[in-house]
Amino acid sequence: MPQPLHLHPDRLFPAEPDTRSIARRLYAEVAGLPIVSPHGHTDPAWFATNAPWTNPAELLITPDHYVFRMLFSQGVPMEDLGVPRADGGPVETDPRAIWRRFAERYHLFRGTPSRMWHDWVYAEAFGLDVRLSAGTADHYYDVIDAALKTEAFRPRALFERYNIELIATTESPLDPLHHHAAIKASGWKGRVVTAFRPDPVLDPDFEGFHANLDELGRITGEDARTWDGYRAALRNRRAFFAAHGATSTDHGHPTAFTADLSDADILALFARVAAGPVSAAEAELFRGHMLTEMAAMSLDDGLVMQIHPGSFRNHNAAVFARFGRDKGADIPTQTDYVRALKPLLDRFGSEPGLTIILFTLDETAYSRELAPLAGHYPALKLGPPWWFHDSPEGMRRFREQATETAGFYNTVGFNDDTRAFLSIPARHDVARRMDCGHLARLVVEHRLEEDEAHDLARALTYDLVKAAYRL
Amino acid sequence: MPQPLHLHPDRLFPAEPDTRSIARRLYAEVAGLPIVSPHGHTDPAWFATNAPWTNPAELLITPDHYVFRMLFSQGVPMEDLGVPRADGGPVETDPRAIWRRFAERYHLFRGTPSRMWHDWVYAEAFGLDVRLSAGTADHYYDVIDAALKTEAFRPRALFERYNIELIATTESPLDPLHHHAAIKASGWKGRVVTAFRPDPVLDPDFEGFHANLDELGRITGEDARTWDGYRAALRNRRAFFAAHGATSTDHGHPTAFTADLSDADILALFARVAAGPVSAAEAELFRGHMLTEMAAMSLDDGLVMQIHPGSFRNHNAAVFARFGRDKGADIPTQTDYVRALKPLLDRFGSEPGLTIILFTLDETAYSRELAPLAGHYPALKLGPPWWFHDSPEGMRRFREQATETAGFYNTVGFNDDTRAFLSIPARHDVARRMDCGHLARLVVEHRLEEDEAHDLARALTYDLVKAAYRL
Amino acid sequence: MPQPLHLHPDRLFPAEPDTRSIARRLYAEVAGLPIVSPHGHTDPAWFATNAPWTNPAELLITPDHYVFRMLFSQGVPMEDLGVPRADGGPVETDPRAIWRRFAERYHLFRGTPSRMWHDWVYAEAFGLDVRLSAGTADHYYDVIDAALKTEAFRPRALFERYNIELIATTESPLDPLHHHAAIKASGWKGRVVTAFRPDPVLDPDFEGFHANLDELGRITGEDARTWDGYRAALRNRRAFFAAHGATSTDHGHPTAFTADLSDADILALFARVAAGPVSAAEAELFRGHMLTEMAAMSLDDGLVMQIHPGSFRNHNAAVFARFGRDKGADIPTQTDYVRALKPLLDRFGSEPGLTIILFTLDETAYSRELAPLAGHYPALKLGPPWWFHDSPEGMRRFREQATETAGFYNTVGFNDDTRAFLSIPARHDVARRMDCGHLARLVVEHRLEEDEAHDLARALTYDLVKAAYRL
């Protein structure tokens, strides 16, 4: 007899009955608000082509680094999960076999957000009512596989069923944005916008950086190997992205380091950067200066900046060599913001017309650095808990550690930050529940009145994200 | 209809009913204890002259960096709040206009300690019973303004009404302490003592350092540009401060770095420091050595040392240029204690006759460094949560992270650390409530017996502060 | 009238009634499971000789650095507690006087785990029913002293009464393991195994390092001053330890730094290390490379690696000079894992046949570094909260901060890590209760089903430790 699968209506709410009652009342008013997803990694091709997804494993296992990193940590080779090898060598191609390997090990995800997201997808999206396990693996596979063949599970149908008001994808400046154009041309009403992620042409350490510069020049008609041409090309692409709905840029640098070089210094540095390989220190200095340049351009064109620093990418050399980027081996590092951001903030931090949203993988920065910075600088706002911290406990720590200094109104609502499209409502639901639980605790401890908590629940769910991202 | 303003008697207590009952019982015994305020920044002129405060904005908004930093972060120019410009240029002078700007944005403070402190002042000090908002701004202004014109709101009357047993102010070594002398000479019974804050003459980076040295020499009759004269002058001023009631010194260095130089090395370093500008490294070395010198002097004269490290002062260059120091742009940084304090501790850490109270803006140090250090060294005690962490969640983290290693008895009670005189009881009340809530949780989880919790509630409120600060 | 001493059956469980009920149910199923203690510091001589302990102070006070560090921090000289001086000078020798000094100050331990461990020993091991205090000091002394003279309090009898399935001690590679051999030869059924702690011959900064090398060579018949002889000697001793039951090695380096030098580089470095004193940087490089060598040997012989980094040993120079090592003056420091472990992980991190258990004294690493690393690398597991963090709040933080990224199954159960034999059940009981409380919260918040929590409670108590340590 398999165990039942049941999403309890009180899940994630504090157990204490008075607190739970308040949380329920708060949640009741925000549960049905539309999803606004201003930062994520869904594939715009889905919405452009509206083609069906192929099978359960390819949709839910193989592309989800939360899933395969945990299985890999427990000894499952990534090849056995169908993760493609960089050299094109053989990997598992039977989706049912992949699904079974996952199902047999579903207990490994106990206590993780992946478990909550997946259960939501199984119960809410597919109507499954027994728990995933070795014994129910085939039943799951069959139900999900059949559903994916129906019209109701096409990307656009799910977008509408999920009540998504807007979703932002993330593209390289070199992307022609054909899918976004196709979506617009199709007449479909779903709002799918892009975001400008210039790392491939800002970071001298990015794979293919010089080729990227040349491509940037080609598509803009500028000489991107000169400082003036490079900046003109960036401005050109920012405008092109804005025309495709972008309201934000996104910067995934290894650190939060910024610089504000003199004209002579940046001219000299850019000449070296454009000409060939530079030292690690020069690369960091260039990235740091370019953040300040991006802030200058944002002041002009109104794009909101997002800074996502502090990930040591591709930590596992063997996995990187065999499988490439984004294979669950990105590890957070200690991240300084106070000294790192000062050059940028000295120049633009007091501009009320600029919005810079800061993220962190180093939670120690919440109370020590990020809340004090955002609680002072007009240009700064705090992004929601990111990546490993996009979880119930991570959200709780964020609110408890950031709010007393930054307040709620220097935060920007939730980001799902995901390519796992099916779980997007689950992720937003976790944030809504955790925020309502946090607010309920403030109310029950008489630190906030309930009418204020109702205002805040709506602000954290909807109003702040639309204001911060200028949507 | 404005919302009511109501300070709930159970505010800040945990919601779980058994825990709350215990917290109530503990709080009932400490709620009425006198306030002992061993570290703060009130103006001794208030108590010396007993002049009335001028108006609501000048009392409650313009000098409160917690208030104007939040408003500034949300786009309100500091000029509009009447914050004086360094160049004397025009700023808002209408206190009612300033008050209205604050009132309209009072929701920004939801979830912050400022909100709790202000509500206490409105309800308890002024008897207001509706919530502050745009709609009630003028009513508030009128009620507060009228009250400030009455005898009951003169500084000495409030001091007595607030049941303050003792308050310590903080002064530069160059301060003649006329106000403290005047208070004593007046025959008024309120105990207002000073504390010795020598940063202006210990820190080569302090504005006007060399002029300060010369002034130090002038008022003590020593040659403060020689090492022997400098130390004699410092001893002289410490004795002068002690004669005006000081029982403590206070050190606000950028880091916790200490040094213990040889006689030859400090003579050579002091010669450079006294002669002119020195490098950043030399300034740091000098500050570090002087902490050890201060500890040596404390062993002689019995003054308790307070070390408040880790603030990056005046982070916003534009705000510093326009408005000067202490304008809400001081940002905490990562702070090491283990290596930093070793030179001082190697010399004096095992002296039971010395008390050094450590503070931090880097909460990661609580469990990792500060509790282990204070749980070993006889000279060390832990100060209460400081500045951004003087908040309900900050206090909770401090007790949860420090107590298991340092115990309760290596802590020193509460500091309000404020110049916002009207809110002093509110601040002490938050600490009393949070400590009672923490103790109640230990009792309800059977980690402590209730009779012990009663002892501890009193110790944390009153006994430990008097013992640690030698009051 | 002394206060009663009572161990409440619900101690450490959350107060909220539904949560507490679940915790009780979970705990009921694991409370009676045998104790598996895979890492600790008990003396194998106790079990080899089965001699009675001498007196209450020598058993419970003088060797317990948790106890004497707190008393020392509050001004009690260590001499007064009978802690032996390095120079053999006089210290207190009257165990009753030592006991009274402790008893008079027992309130200092309120809120610390030492208090809980001691109360358990008093109530459960000795049947005392009044609280320890100045007034009950002599009663305690008499009851404990009398019990220690009985057969029931001999080491082997307690081992059996405590339901210990296995205990691991920790020895230097130079230890002849006579006590372990004697235990085996005695026919007694208690499983007491050793663990291989090679710091004395891996760390050039260890006291007597070169003499240790020579002794290592002597007992193995190798020339341990050559690189090949040194490694052969280490392999020899690892095999000898494994033959005495060891399933693990243990590494207490100052940092988590690792290196993977070329053959030429390590040959050159070893030549310098073996010949005489080396610089701090060379010592660190050698330690770092040797961790990678140890991992290579573990892949061959199957010993599980434990890495315990980040303690600044003997921080108090005066205490070290007067009393030697391990006198409560070891202080945690900030510890990086991400860059530090990369060389070792690049070589061996993806080996599913290798197990490396990571510990930390820097709790900030839980969510930022350790959980992401263990949630990816097959070779890595997370050790339980260590040393200062082996406490109720420390355990709670570990589960809350590590689980969402690493899951439960990349953790390894509990270590008591103690030489305080009498309190071993108390320590395991705290871990079982805190884990059940944590799981109960997940259940009551509908983040986990209760049947899963039952599985997990057993896994965290028993299954995972046996699997991870290969017992």
Coordinates of all heavy atoms in Angstrom, one line a residue, chain A residues 12 66-67 69-70 108-117 363 385-398 430 434, chain C residues 366-367 370-372 374-375 382 396-411 438 441-442 445 447:
Chain A
L12 N 3.6 24.7 6.2 CA 4.5 25.8 6.4 C 4.1 26.9 7.4 O 4.9 27.8 7.8 CB 4.9 26.5 5.1 CG 5.8 25.6 4.2 CD1 5.9 26.3 2.8 CD2 7.1 25.3 4.8
Y66 N 19.1 20.9 -8.8 CA 18.8 20.5 -7.4 C 18.6 19.0 -7.2 O 19.0 18.4 -6.2 CB 17.5 21.2 -6.9 CG 17.6 22.7 -6.6 CD1 17.3 23.6 -7.7 CD2 17.9 23.2 -5.4 CE1 17.4 25.0 -7.4 CE2 17.9 24.6 -5.1 CZ 17.7 25.5 -6.2 OH 17.7 26.8 -6.0
V67 N 18.0 18.4 -8.2 CA 17.7 17.0 -8.1 C 19.0 16.2 -8.4 O 19.3 15.3 -7.6 CB 16.6 16.6 -9.2 CG1 16.5 15.1 -9.3 CG2 15.3 17.2 -8.7
R69 N 22.1 17.0 -8.3 CA 23.2 17.1 -7.4 C 23.0 16.3 -6.1 O 24.0 15.7 -5.6 CB 23.4 18.6 -7.0 CG 22.5 19.2 -6.0 CD 22.6 20.7 -5.9 NE 23.9 21.2 -5.7 CZ 24.6 21.3 -4.5 NH1 24.0 20.9 -3.4 NH2 25.8 21.8 -4.5
M70 N 21.8 16.2 -5.6 CA 21.6 15.4 -4.5 C 21.8 13.9 -4.8 O 22.4 13.1 -4.0 CB 20.2 15.6 -4.0 CG 19.8 14.7 -2.8 SD 20.7 15.1 -1.3 CE 19.7 16.4 -0.6
L108 N 15.7 10.7 -0.1 CA 16.9 11.6 0.1 C 16.5 13.1 0.1 O 17.3 13.9 0.7 CB 17.9 11.4 -1.1 CG 18.5 10.0 -1.2 CD1 19.4 9.9 -2.4 CD2 19.3 9.6 0.1
F109 N 15.4 13.4 -0.4 CA 15.0 14.8 -0.5 C 14.1 15.3 0.7 O 13.7 16.4 0.7 CB 14.2 15.1 -1.8 CG 15.1 14.9 -3.0 CD1 15.2 13.6 -3.6 CD2 15.8 15.9 -3.5 CE1 16.0 13.4 -4.7 CE2 16.7 15.7 -4.6 CZ 16.7 14.5 -5.2
R110 N 13.9 14.3 1.6 CA 13.2 14.7 2.8 C 13.8 15.9 3.5 O 15.0 16.0 3.7 CB 13.2 13.6 3.8 CG 12.3 12.4 3.4 CD 12.5 11.2 4.3 NE 11.6 10.1 4.0 CZ 11.8 8.9 4.4 NH1 12.8 8.5 5.2 NH2 10.9 8.0 4.1
G111 N 13.0 16.9 3.8 CA 13.6 18.1 4.5 C 14.1 19.1 3.5 O 14.6 20.2 4.0
T112 N 14.1 18.9 2.2 CA 14.6 19.9 1.3 C 13.4 20.5 0.5 O 12.4 20.0 0.4 CB 15.5 19.2 0.2 OG1 14.7 18.4 -0.7 CG2 16.5 18.3 0.8
P113 N 13.7 21.7 0.0 CA 12.6 22.4 -0.8 C 12.3 21.6 -2.0 O 11.1 21.6 -2.5 CB 13.2 23.8 -1.1 CG 14.6 23.7 -0.8 CD 14.8 22.6 0.2
S114 N 13.2 20.9 -2.6 CA 12.9 20.1 -3.8 C 11.7 19.2 -3.5 O 10.8 19.0 -4.4 CB 14.1 19.3 -4.3 OG 15.1 20.2 -4.7
R115 N 11.7 18.6 -2.4 CA 10.6 17.7 -2.0 C 9.3 18.4 -2.0 O 8.3 17.9 -2.6 CB 10.9 17.1 -0.6 CG 9.7 16.5 0.1 CD 9.2 15.2 -0.7 NE 8.0 14.7 0.0 CZ 8.1 13.9 1.0 NH1 9.2 13.3 1.4 NH2 6.9 13.5 1.6
M116 N 9.2 19.6 -1.5 CA 8.0 20.4 -1.5 C 7.6 20.8 -2.8 O 6.4 20.7 -3.2 CB 8.1 21.6 -0.6 CG 8.5 21.3 0.9 SD 8.0 22.7 2.0 CE 6.2 22.4 2.1
W117 N 8.5 21.2 -3.6 CA 8.2 21.7 -5.0 C 7.7 20.5 -5.8 O 6.7 20.6 -6.5 CB 9.4 22.3 -5.7 CG 10.0 23.5 -5.0 CD1 9.4 24.4 -4.2 CD2 11.4 23.9 -5.0 NE1 10.2 25.3 -3.8 CE2 11.5 25.0 -4.3 CE3 12.5 23.4 -5.6 CZ2 12.7 25.7 -4.1 CZ3 13.7 24.0 -5.5 CH2 13.8 25.2 -4.7
E363 N 24.7 34.2 3.8 CA 23.6 34.8 4.7 C 24.1 35.7 5.8 O 23.4 36.4 6.4 CB 22.8 33.6 5.3 CG 22.0 32.8 4.3 CD 21.3 31.7 5.0 OE1 21.9 30.8 5.6 OE2 20.0 31.7 4.9
P385 N 15.7 35.7 -0.8 CA 16.7 34.6 -0.5 C 16.9 33.9 -1.8 O 16.0 33.5 -2.5 CB 16.0 33.7 0.5 CG 15.1 34.6 1.2 CD 14.6 35.6 0.2
W386 N 18.2 33.6 -2.1 CA 18.6 33.2 -3.5 C 19.2 31.8 -3.4 O 20.0 31.4 -2.6 CB 19.6 34.2 -4.0 CG 20.3 33.8 -5.3 CD1 19.7 33.3 -6.4 CD2 21.7 34.1 -5.6 NE1 20.7 33.2 -7.4 CE2 21.9 33.7 -6.9 CE3 22.7 34.7 -4.9 CZ2 23.1 33.8 -7.6 CZ3 23.9 34.8 -5.6 CH2 24.1 34.3 -6.9
W387 N 18.7 30.9 -4.4 CA 19.4 29.7 -4.7 C 19.3 28.7 -3.5 O 18.2 28.3 -3.2 CB 20.8 29.9 -5.1 CG 21.5 28.9 -5.9 CD1 21.2 27.5 -5.9 CD2 22.6 29.0 -6.8 NE1 22.1 26.9 -6.8 CE2 23.0 27.8 -7.3 CE3 23.3 30.2 -7.2 CZ2 24.0 27.6 -8.2 CZ3 24.4 30.0 -8.1 CH2 24.7 28.7 -8.6
F388 N 20.4 28.4 -2.9 CA 20.3 27.5 -1.8 C 19.4 28.0 -0.6 O 19.0 27.2 0.2 CB 21.7 27.2 -1.2 CG 22.7 26.6 -2.2 CD1 23.6 27.4 -2.8 CD2 22.6 25.3 -2.6 CE1 24.5 26.8 -3.8 CE2 23.4 24.7 -3.5 CZ 24.4 25.5 -4.1
H389 N 19.2 29.3 -0.6 CA 18.4 29.9 0.5 C 17.0 30.1 0.1 O 16.2 30.6 0.9 CB 19.1 31.1 0.9 CG 20.6 30.9 1.2 ND1 21.1 29.9 1.9 CD2 21.7 31.6 0.7 CE1 22.4 29.9 1.9 NE2 22.8 30.9 1.2
D390 N 16.6 29.7 -1.1 CA 15.2 29.8 -1.5 C 14.5 28.6 -0.9 O 14.2 27.6 -1.6 CB 15.1 29.8 -3.0 CG 13.7 29.8 -3.6 OD1 12.8 29.9 -2.8 OD2 13.6 29.5 -4.8
S391 N 14.2 28.6 0.3 CA 13.7 27.5 1.1 C 13.0 28.0 2.3 O 13.2 29.2 2.7 CB 14.9 26.7 1.5 OG 15.8 27.4 2.4
P392 N 12.2 27.2 3.0 CA 11.5 27.8 4.2 C 12.4 28.4 5.2 O 12.2 29.5 5.7 CB 10.7 26.5 4.7 CG 10.5 25.7 3.4 CD 11.7 25.9 2.6
E393 N 13.4 27.6 5.6 CA 14.3 28.2 6.7 C 15.1 29.3 6.1 O 15.4 30.3 6.9 CB 15.3 27.1 7.2 CG 14.6 25.9 7.8 CD 13.8 26.2 9.1 OE1 14.1 27.2 9.7 OE2 12.8 25.4 9.3
G394 N 15.5 29.3 4.9 CA 16.2 30.4 4.3 C 15.4 31.7 4.3 O 15.9 32.8 4.5
M395 N 14.1 31.5 3.9 CA 13.2 32.7 3.9 C 13.0 33.2 5.3 O 12.9 34.5 5.5 CB 11.9 32.3 3.3 CG 12.0 32.0 1.8 SD 10.4 31.3 1.2 CE 10.8 31.0 -0.5
R396 N 12.9 32.3 6.3 CA 12.7 32.8 7.7 C 13.9 33.6 8.1 O 13.8 34.6 8.7 CB 12.5 31.5 8.6 CG 12.0 31.9 10.0 CD 11.6 30.6 10.7 NE 12.6 29.6 10.8 CZ 13.6 29.7 11.7 NH1 13.8 30.7 12.5 NH2 14.5 28.7 11.7
R397 N 15.1 33.0 7.9 CA 16.3 33.8 8.3 C 16.4 35.1 7.6 O 16.8 36.1 8.2 CB 17.5 32.9 7.9 CG 17.7 31.8 8.9 CD 19.1 31.2 8.7 NE 19.4 30.5 7.5 CZ 19.1 29.2 7.3 NH1 18.6 28.4 8.3 NH2 19.3 28.6 6.1
F398 N 16.0 35.2 6.3 CA 16.1 36.5 5.6 C 15.2 37.5 6.3 O 15.6 38.6 6.6 CB 15.7 36.3 4.2 CG 15.6 37.6 3.4 CD1 16.7 38.3 3.1 CD2 14.3 38.0 3.0 CE1 16.6 39.5 2.4 CE2 14.2 39.2 2.3 CZ 15.3 40.0 2.0
V430 N 5.4 28.7 -1.6 CA 6.2 28.6 -0.4 C 6.6 30.0 0.2 O 6.5 30.3 1.4 CB 7.5 27.9 -0.7 CG1 8.5 28.0 0.5 CG2 7.2 26.4 -1.0
M434 N 5.5 31.4 3.8 CA 6.5 31.8 4.8 C 6.4 33.2 5.2 O 6.5 33.6 6.4 CB 7.9 31.5 4.3 CG 8.2 30.0 4.1 SD 8.0 29.0 5.7 CE 9.2 29.8 6.7
Chain C
Y366 N 27.8 26.3 7.6 CA 26.8 25.3 7.4 C 26.0 25.5 6.1 O 25.9 24.7 5.3 CB 25.8 25.3 8.6 CG 26.2 24.7 9.9 CD1 25.7 25.2 11.1 CD2 27.2 23.7 10.0 CE1 26.1 24.7 12.3 CE2 27.6 23.2 11.2 CZ 27.0 23.7 12.4 OH 27.4 23.2 13.6
S367 N 25.3 26.7 6.0 CA 24.5 26.9 4.9 C 25.2 27.4 3.7 O 24.8 27.2 2.5 CB 23.3 27.9 5.2 OG 23.8 29.2 5.3
L370 N 29.3 24.2 3.7 CA 29.3 22.7 4.0 C 28.2 22.0 3.4 O 28.3 20.9 2.8 CB 29.4 22.5 5.5 CG 30.7 23.0 6.1 CD1 30.7 22.8 7.6 CD2 31.9 22.1 5.5
A371 N 26.9 22.6 3.5 CA 25.8 21.9 2.9 C 25.9 21.8 1.4 O 25.6 20.8 0.8 CB 24.5 22.5 3.4
P372 N 26.2 22.9 0.8 CA 26.4 22.9 -0.7 C 27.5 21.9 -1.1 O 27.3 21.1 -2.1 CB 26.8 24.3 -1.1 CG 26.1 25.1 -0.1 CD 26.2 24.4 1.2
A374 N 28.6 19.1 0.6 CA 28.1 17.8 0.9 C 27.0 17.4 0.0 O 26.7 16.2 -0.2 CB 27.8 17.6 2.4
G375 N 26.2 18.3 -0.4 CA 25.0 18.1 -1.3 C 25.5 17.8 -2.7 O 24.6 17.6 -3.6
L382 N 28.6 15.4 6.3 CA 28.7 16.5 7.3 C 28.7 15.8 8.7 O 27.7 15.1 9.1 CB 27.6 17.4 7.3 CG 27.4 18.2 6.0 CD1 26.4 19.3 6.1 CD2 28.8 18.9 5.6
R396 N 20.1 22.7 16.9 CA 19.0 23.2 16.1 C 19.5 24.0 14.9 O 19.0 23.9 13.8 CB 18.2 24.1 17.0 CG 16.9 24.6 16.5 CD 16.0 25.3 17.5 NE 16.6 26.4 18.1 CZ 16.7 27.6 17.5 NH1 16.2 27.8 16.4 NH2 17.3 28.6 18.2
R397 N 20.5 24.9 15.1 CA 21.0 25.6 14.0 C 21.6 24.7 12.9 O 21.4 25.0 11.7 CB 22.1 26.6 14.5 CG 21.6 27.8 15.2 CD 22.6 28.9 15.4 NE 23.7 28.5 16.4 CZ 23.6 28.7 17.7 NH1 22.6 29.3 18.2 NH2 24.6 28.4 18.4
F398 N 22.3 23.7 13.3 CA 22.8 22.7 12.3 C 21.7 22.1 11.5 O 21.8 22.2 10.2 CB 23.6 21.6 13.0 CG 24.1 20.5 12.1 CD1 25.1 20.8 11.2 CD2 23.5 19.3 12.1 CE1 25.5 19.8 10.3 CE2 24.0 18.3 11.3 CZ 25.0 18.5 10.4
R399 N 20.7 21.6 12.1 CA 19.6 21.0 11.3 C 18.9 22.0 10.4 O 18.6 21.8 9.2 CB 18.6 20.3 12.2 CG 19.1 19.1 12.9 CD 19.4 17.9 11.9 NE 19.9 16.7 12.7 CZ 20.7 15.8 12.1 NH1 21.1 15.9 10.8 NH2 21.2 14.8 12.8
E400 N 18.7 23.2 11.0 CA 17.9 24.2 10.2 C 18.8 24.8 9.1 O 18.2 25.2 8.0 CB 17.5 25.4 11.1 CG 16.4 25.0 12.1 CD 16.0 26.1 13.0 OE1 16.5 27.2 13.0 OE2 15.1 25.8 13.9
Q401 N 20.1 24.8 9.2 CA 20.9 25.5 8.2 C 21.5 24.5 7.2 O 21.9 24.9 6.1 CB 22.0 26.3 8.9 CG 21.5 27.5 9.7 CD 22.5 28.2 10.6 OE1 23.7 28.2 10.3 NE2 22.0 28.9 11.6
A402 N 21.6 23.2 7.6 CA 22.3 22.3 6.7 C 21.3 21.4 5.9 O 21.6 21.0 4.8 CB 23.2 21.4 7.5
T403 N 20.1 21.2 6.5 CA 19.3 20.1 5.9 C 18.7 20.5 4.6 O 18.6 19.6 3.7 CB 18.1 19.8 6.9 OG1 18.7 19.4 8.2 CG2 17.3 18.6 6.4
E404 N 18.3 21.7 4.4 CA 17.6 22.0 3.2 C 18.5 21.9 1.9 O 17.9 21.6 0.8 CB 17.0 23.5 3.2 CG 15.9 23.5 4.3 CD 15.3 24.9 4.4 OE1 16.1 25.9 4.4 OE2 14.1 25.0 4.6
T405 N 19.8 22.0 2.1 CA 20.7 21.8 0.9 C 21.3 20.4 0.9 O 21.5 19.8 -0.1 CB 21.7 22.9 0.9 OG1 21.1 24.2 0.6 CG2 22.8 22.7 -0.1
A406 N 21.7 19.9 2.1 CA 22.5 18.7 2.1 C 21.5 17.5 2.4 O 21.9 16.3 2.1 CB 23.5 18.7 3.2
G407 N 20.3 17.7 2.8 CA 19.4 16.6 3.2 C 19.9 16.0 4.5 O 20.9 16.4 5.1
F408 N 19.1 15.1 5.0 CA 19.5 14.4 6.2 C 20.5 13.3 5.9 O 21.3 12.9 6.8 CB 18.3 13.7 6.8 CG 17.3 14.7 7.5 CD1 16.1 14.9 6.9 CD2 17.6 15.3 8.7 CE1 15.2 15.8 7.5 CE2 16.7 16.2 9.3 CZ 15.5 16.4 8.7
Y409 N 20.5 12.7 4.7 CA 21.2 11.5 4.4 C 22.7 11.8 4.1 O 23.5 10.9 3.9 CB 20.5 10.7 3.3 CG 19.2 10.1 3.8 CD1 18.0 10.8 3.7 CD2 19.2 8.9 4.5 CE1 16.8 10.4 4.2 CE2 18.0 8.4 5.0 CZ 16.8 9.1 4.8 OH 15.6 8.7 5.3
N410 N 23.1 13.1 4.0 CA 24.5 13.4 3.9 C 25.1 13.8 5.3 O 26.1 14.4 5.3 CB 24.7 14.5 2.9 CG 24.7 14.0 1.4 OD1 25.3 13.0 1.1 ND2 23.9 14.7 0.6
T411 N 24.4 13.5 6.3 CA 24.9 13.7 7.7 C 25.1 12.3 8.3 O 24.7 11.3 7.7 CB 23.9 14.5 8.6 OG1 22.7 13.8 8.8 CG2 23.6 15.8 7.9
H438 N 13.2 18.6 16.2 CA 13.3 19.2 14.8 C 12.4 18.5 13.8 O 11.6 19.1 13.1 CB 14.8 19.1 14.3 CG 15.0 19.7 13.0 ND1 14.9 21.0 12.7 CD2 15.2 19.1 11.8 CE1 15.1 21.2 11.4 NE2 15.2 20.1 10.8
R441 N 8.8 19.4 14.4 CA 8.4 20.7 13.8 C 8.1 20.5 12.3 O 7.2 21.1 11.7 CB 9.5 21.7 14.0 CG 9.0 23.1 13.6 CD 9.8 24.2 14.2 NE 11.1 24.5 13.7 CZ 11.3 25.2 12.5 NH1 10.3 25.8 11.9 NH2 12.5 25.4 12.1
L442 N 9.0 19.7 11.6 CA 8.7 19.5 10.2 C 7.4 18.8 10.0 O 6.6 19.1 9.0 CB 9.8 18.7 9.5 CG 11.2 19.3 9.5 CD1 12.2 18.4 8.8 CD2 11.2 20.7 9.0
E445 N 4.4 21.2 10.7 CA 4.3 22.2 9.7 C 4.0 21.5 8.3 O 4.1 22.2 7.3 CB 5.5 23.1 9.6 CG 5.6 23.9 10.9 CD 6.9 24.8 10.9 OE1 7.6 24.8 9.9 OE2 7.0 25.5 11.9
R447 N 5.7 19.5 6.5 CA 6.9 19.5 5.6 C 7.4 18.1 5.5 O 8.3 17.8 4.7 CB 7.9 20.4 6.1 CG 7.5 21.9 6.1 CD 8.2 22.7 7.1 NE 9.6 23.0 6.7 CZ 10.4 23.8 7.4 NH1 9.9 24.4 8.6 NH2 11.6 24.0 7.1

